[in-house]
Amino acid sequence: MSIDRKAAIAAYKERKTIAGIYVVHCAASGQTWVGQAPNLETIQNRIWFSLRQGNHNCRNLQAAWNTHGETGLTFGERERLEDEETAYVRNALLKERMLHWRDELKAEVI
């Protein structure tokens, strides 16, 4: 393994992940879904992958995808969290903020 490759792997492992709240919206139906993620940079790919496979656990979101397709849905970050010392504090804050945005946006939780 080359030094550059080792350095790249080390840098990848040490990168900071950004936790936060995200929103998926369907313009055609007006439906909105809100969720929390420990890593906002990877969550859209995970959601879109499960929707493409037809097996997302949120049936209403999957139905909107099936009806309107990928172009019918938009994904956006709603809120980023500051770095937290512990996973427990981060997870509690994520849950609290997700519930806030669910109520604020009258959205369904994913």
Side-chain angles (χ1 to χ4, degrees), residues 24-31 33 44 48 51-52 61-75:
V24 177
H25 181 72
C26 178
S29 69
Q31 293 172 287
W33 298 268
Q44 182 181 2
W48 264 223
L51 289 168
R52 283 187 198 107
L61 179 57
Q62 185 68 58
W65 177 278
N66 294 345
T67 302
H68 305 289
E70 182 172 350
T71 58
L73 299 179
T74 57
F75 176 92

Side-chain angles (χ1 to χ4, degrees), residues 72-103:
L73 299 179
T74 57
F75 176 92
E77 290 181 13
R78 177 56 62 173
E79 180 177 349
R80 290 178 170 219
L81 298 184
E82 298 297 322
D83 288 342
E84 294 298 334
E85 293 299 316
T86 66
Y88 177 79
V89 171
R90 183 197 68 215
N91 291 341
L93 190 54
L94 277 171
K95 183 176 181 180
E96 176 188 315
R97 298 308 298 157
M98 183 187 62
L99 294 175
H100 163 79
W101 286 112
R102 177 199 64 188
D103 295 344

Side-chain angles (χ1 to χ4, degrees), residues 46-56 62 65-66:
R46 186 180 318 153
I47 293 169
W48 264 223
F49 178 79
S50 64
L51 289 168
R52 283 187 198 107
Q53 300 304 309
N55 63 2
H56 195 278
Q62 185 68 58
W65 177 278
N66 294 345

